[in-house]
Amino acid sequence: MKSRPSGWQFLIYGSFFVVLLCIFHSINECISGNTSPNIILTTTTIHVHPSEIPQKPRRNVQFRLNCTSGYLTRICPAKYYPTNVLHSQDDRDCPLPAACPDYFRWIHEDLRPWKETGITRDTVESGRKTAHFRLVIVEGRAYVETYRRAGPNRDFYTLWGILQLLRRYPGKIPDLDLMFNWADTPVVKSVDYSGPNATAPPPLFRYCGDDATLEIVFPDWTFWGWPETNIKPWKEFLDDVKEGEKRWMDKEAYAYWKGNPMLAPTRRDLAKFQIGMENHGFLQYSSEEHLIYSRNYKTGLTLADNLSVEYEWELSWYKIYVERVGWSVSEKYILACNSVTLPVKPRYYDFFTSGLMPMHHYWPINEDDKCRSIKFAVEWGNSHKQKAQEIGKAGSDFTQEDLVDYVYDYMFHLLSKYAKLMRYKPTIPERAIEICSETLACPAIEIQKKIMMESMVKDPTDVSPCDMSPPYDALALRRLLKRKANSISQVELWEMRYWENQTKYN
């Protein structure tokens, strides 16, 4: 008759069994390819109350950039990103997603031309004649076919941003196929694709659009930095600006602009004010010396340096935004500076500007009489300092709150909804090459690599993308547009009366 094992025997046998189980589990993980040196298990001490269920250890996944092996500069690692990152905590423990900023709703409007027909392979390829590159994502991996090289590495940093999106939300970006044009001026004219016999327009991605075109608007490359012009990644730039921000009342009552006046007629008009003489690259304009203008950025300085307390950019209450021949990246930097932004009626919009409201985030400037309009804006702000300060703060807060953490979510929702419209399964083009963080960052020169390391997503987020609102209904959209138009009309009316009174009493 067998006797029951003693307590010590139970402990010895049990320990031996646990060791065998752990070894078997490790071997099985290696065989199935589920292990990775980038997956780190961490445990925490949990104080359990009778009514609580203890949480399991959470798997922290970190994506490290490996540039030690020479082949990684040419070929992406076989085990690049996990196709699905699972955390052991119950989904109920994760925070609920925040509501997306309202400008996300314009994604529906950008994709509306293909809502009924969907997007076919022929439709996508019809955009090749104007595209600079084609991006295909298959099973979480990115492939690019380049047609034309981009100026100042626009394509390079745009693709870097998309790769960081794949790192932030691994396994969540659907397969897709798109054409991208990096130039400043939209080309897909809506009039060419209207009427009963019209074909579907090419779904062409671009950094901007206007009311007469059908481009799909995408965040611009500078969100991930632009080392060639000393621009840091967007978050780091905002941190620098916030740290060096001056108190409003320490600034001076000037309107300020930096840029090249020869790039567009709207810019050349500003030169009609000249009253001063060139002084270290800066010129003063307007009869009351309320407008300060500079031809160029001071060389050897970062953009944040030009916003610091020792330069004129930071010293002004008002900052002017004027487009070039097309859209310009400068608008978001001007908004960030806690001064009243004075946009000279822009023709083009980027992905976030639909979320800006006149007289709340900025003061609108009349394009037809921009010089007197700027002067009136300065006079009004000087007479209503509290309100002017509120406008400057609202524009700056918008860049800090609605642009920093939401750029990736905007990309996520845009690409996901675009992919849902596709009527074919994307395949890798014959001439496309695979790209990953290693192929872009490892061979980069030092200044580029530094910027890329600052903007690199090092681990996936636990937080789900923000919760996007449904499309505007026709009535809500009309009300929104009317509200903006009424705000601009109100400013124009005040301005007209101001100049009438000036004429009457002078």
Side-chain angles (χ1 to χ4, degrees):
M1 182 176 180
K2 291 184 177 180
S3 62
R4 293 175 181 268
S6 66
W8 283 106
Q9 287 173 316
F10 263 117
L11 181 59
I12 293 171
Y13 294 154
S15 299
F16 181 70
F17 175 76
V18 170
V19 171
L20 287 177
L21 183 62
C22 289
I23 294 173
F24 173 77
H25 177 73
S26 298
I27 294 173
N28 182 62
E29 287 284 292
C30 289
I31 293 174
S32 62
N34 290 331
T35 72
S36 169
N38 295 335
I39 297 180
I40 302 171
L41 277 175
T42 61
T43 58
T44 57
T45 302
I46 303 173
H47 300 281
V48 183
H49 297 281
S51 60
E52 293 180 349
I53 301 175
Q55 296 179 344
K56 298 178 182 179
R58 172 183 164 189
R59 301 180 76 187
N60 290 335
V61 184
Q62 296 182 355
F63 298 143
R64 299 185 179 92
L65 193 69
N66 185 358
C67 294
T68 57
S69 300
Y71 78 91
L72 287 179
T73 64
R74 299 183 298 273
I75 302 173
C76 294
K79 296 293 182 183
Y80 189 34
Y81 306 138
T83 55
N84 191 17
V85 176
L86 299 176
H87 298 286
S88 58
Q89 292 189 25
D90 192 284
D91 288 343
R92 291 172 296 180
D93 297 327
C94 297
L96 293 174
C100 296
D102 211 41
Y103 66 81
F104 275 55
R105 301 178 76 175
W106 287 86
I107 290 176
H108 302 294
E109 303 306 315
D110 276 1
L111 297 178
R112 191 175 296 280
W114 303 276
K115 182 179 179 180
E116 302 298 331
T117 63
I119 297 172
T120 65
R121 190 185 301 274
D122 288 343
T123 305
V124 170
E125 292 182 347
S126 67
R128 178 171 179 168
K129 60 185 177 181
T130 57
H132 289 91
F133 66 84
R134 182 177 194 165
L135 170 70
V136 177
I137 295 177
V138 176
E139 296 182 358
R141 300 174 77 97
Y143 305 85
V144 174
E145 184 177 16
T146 300
Y147 305 128
R148 301 166 187 84
R149 286 301 303 166
N153 286 326
R154 292 184 177 193
D155 55 349
F156 183 88
Y157 295 107
T158 298
L159 293 171
W160 174 256
I162 292 169
L163 291 174
Q164 304 322 298
L165 175 69
L166 296 177
R167 294 167 73 98
R168 183 177 175 89
Y169 293 124
K172 294 184 178 181
I173 308 301
D175 291 1
L176 55 86
D177 180 8
L178 63 85
M179 297 286 184
F180 205 107
N181 185 307
W182 53 257
D184 292 340
T185 308
V187 295
V188 183
K189 298 179 180 179
S190 55
V191 68
D192 295 336
Y193 300 93
S194 60
N197 299 320
T199 59
L204 190 64
F205 283 68
R206 187 187 296 277
Y207 305 124
C208 70
D210 67 13
D211 293 340
T213 55
L214 299 172
E215 265 83 349
I216 301 171
V217 182
F218 195 82
D220 73 79
W221 73 100
T222 60
F223 281 99
W224 297 275
W226 195 5
E228 291 81 1
T229 55
N230 292 323
I231 293 179
K232 292 183 177 182
W234 180 240
K235 187 177 186 305
E236 284 69 22
F237 166 80
L238 289 178
D239 290 343
D240 287 352
V241 171
K242 196 169 185 179
E243 183 177 344
E245 194 173 79
K246 286 176 65 69
R247 292 188 306 112
W248 173 269
M249 298 311 294
D250 291 337
K251 300 183 180 185
E252 298 182 25
Y254 287 108
Y256 186 88
W257 176 68
K258 277 195 171 189
N260 186 343
M262 305 313 295
L263 292 179
T266 54
R267 292 185 169 194
R268 288 195 292 272
D269 285 349
L270 293 176
K272 296 176 182 178
F273 292 99
Q274 183 173 4
I275 66 161
M277 298 180 65
E278 188 167 359
N279 180 20
H280 303 296
F282 290 85
L283 303 174
Q284 289 189 330
Y285 290 88
S286 90
S287 58
E288 299 299 330
E289 300 185 4
H290 286 317
L291 175 63
I292 295 183
Y293 156 83
S294 171
R295 287 181 181 171
N296 305 104
Y297 290 103
K298 290 195 174 184
T299 58
L301 301 174
T302 66
L303 185 55
D305 288 333
N306 276 281
L307 302 178
S308 67
V309 296
E310 56 188 349
Y311 294 110
E312 289 86 342
W313 177 277
E314 176 60 20
L315 294 174
S316 60
W317 280 7
Y318 314 93
K319 295 182 175 63
I320 303 166
Y321 169 69
V322 190
E323 291 178 332
R324 310 190 310 170
V325 289
W327 160 87
S328 170
V329 301
S330 62
E331 185 169 22
K332 63 178 179 290
Y333 297 101
I334 294 172
L335 281 166
C337 296
N338 198 29
S339 298
V340 180
T341 298
L342 306 178
V344 177
K345 191 179 180 180
R347 172 181 173 182
Y348 304 99
Y349 55 81
D350 58 20
F351 77 101
F352 69 84
T353 47
S354 58
L356 300 175
M357 184 61 64
M359 294 179 63
H360 177 66
H361 296 106
Y362 67 91
W363 183 276
I365 297 300
N366 188 335
E367 181 184 18
D368 295 331
D369 195 3
K370 62 182 69 62
C371 299
R372 294 208 309 173
S373 186
I374 291 170
K375 176 172 169 46
F376 170 70
V378 172
E379 293 286 356
W380 185 93
N382 292 347
S383 302
H384 303 79
K385 292 183 175 63
Q386 181 63 35
K387 180 60 178 176
Q389 185 175 356
E390 290 173 1
I391 294 174
K393 186 176 185 303
S396 183
D397 287 349
F398 180 90
T399 65
Q400 294 279 354
E401 297 168 5
D402 287 357
L403 281 186
V404 174
D405 294 328
Y406 288 108
V407 175
Y408 285 117
D409 284 7
Y410 190 93
M411 295 162 64
F412 173 86
H413 284 299
L414 175 60
L415 295 180
S416 297
K417 293 188 179 302
Y418 173 86
K420 287 182 180 179
L421 293 172
M422 298 185 66
R423 299 293 184 260
Y424 66 100
K425 182 175 176 58
T427 56
I428 304 169
E430 182 178 349
R431 296 185 178 181
I433 60 171
E434 184 177 8
I435 60 169
C436 56
S437 295
E438 282 78 4
T439 62
L440 268 62
C442 292
I445 62 175
E446 192 61 31
I447 186 174
Q448 291 178 327
K449 187 176 293 186
K450 180 180 182 297
I451 292 292
M452 295 165 80
M453 294 303 97
E454 290 176 352
S455 63
M456 187 174 74
V457 171
K458 298 175 178 62
D459 50 21
T461 179
D462 282 340
V463 181
S464 297
C466 63
D467 191 10
M468 184 172 160
S469 298
Y472 290 106
D473 60 50
L475 179 59
L477 185 58
R478 283 199 301 271
R479 285 176 175 171
L480 175 64
L481 297 177
K482 185 176 181 180
R483 181 185 168 197
K484 291 187 177 185
N486 288 345
S487 295
I488 294 173
S489 296
Q490 177 66 73
V491 172
E492 291 176 345
L493 179 61
W494 289 344
E495 185 177 325
M496 181 185 68
R497 289 175 177 173
Y498 171 84
W499 289 112
E500 286 178 350
N501 289 334
Q502 291 292 308
T503 302
K504 183 184 300 184
Y505 296 109
N506 288 333

